[in-house]
Amino acid sequence: QVRLVESGGGLVQPGGSLGLSCAPSGSIFTIVAMGWFRQAPGKQRELVAQINSGGATTYADSVKGRFTISRDNGQNSVYLQMNNLKPEDTAAYYCNADLYRTPRDWGDYWGQGTQVTVSS
């Protein structure tokens, strides 16, 4: 069984920075893409940033220029650096991974979520 283990998050003042890390536990064959989604109370879950196996990245317009996603292929981990945080970034952040456990066993996996709160 594969689990996504998240770390980071917390409370930060507007303009501050935080980092989120995520890595799969368990045996995997290869990762297609990893990323972060977020969900604020009363809102739908939305893509924040994603990176694929080739290193191509996608960002939500609202975080471009402030957030950076990176990946350590050797560790199969993904890191989201969040700078110049705003109150509207407050949400539960979820790690997501499209991966193969074996050459034929593809799955879409989610972390348990970590809270990011931006407030003075």
Side-chain angles (χ1 to χ4, degrees):
Q1 184 73 346
V2 175
R3 290 192 309 117
L4 297 183
V5 180
E6 303 162 337
S7 61
L11 174 64
V12 66
Q13 292 186 343
S17 298
L18 281 176
L20 303 179
S21 296
C22 174
S25 66
S27 177
I28 62 172
F29 176 66
T30 191
I31 296 176
V32 177
M34 293 186 74
W36 291 92
F37 288 70
R38 67 186 180 188
Q39 187 168 20
K43 294 187 177 181
Q44 289 188 332
R45 189 172 295 189
E46 62 175 359
L47 173 69
V48 177
Q50 188 178 58
I51 185 167
N52 68 18
S53 58
T57 57
T58 301
Y59 293 95
D61 288 342
S62 60
V63 307
K64 285 180 180 177
R66 300 188 297 123
F67 291 11
T68 302
I69 190 168
S70 59
R71 183 171 161 181
D72 183 338
N73 287 330
Q75 298 294 323
N76 287 325
S77 61
V78 66
Y79 186 77
L80 183 68
Q81 177 65 40
M82 304 181 291
N83 297 327
N84 190 22
L85 282 159
K86 304 176 181 181
E88 50 264 42
D89 295 317
T90 296
Y93 283 68
Y94 297 89
C95 181
N96 173 261
D98 291 339
L99 61 84
Y100 285 85
R101 292 178 57 200
T102 70
R104 295 183 178 183
D105 183 7
W106 175 87
D108 184 49
Y109 296 86
W110 291 91
Q112 78 282 1
T114 185
Q115 181 67 32
V116 172
T117 301
V118 185
S119 175
S120 55

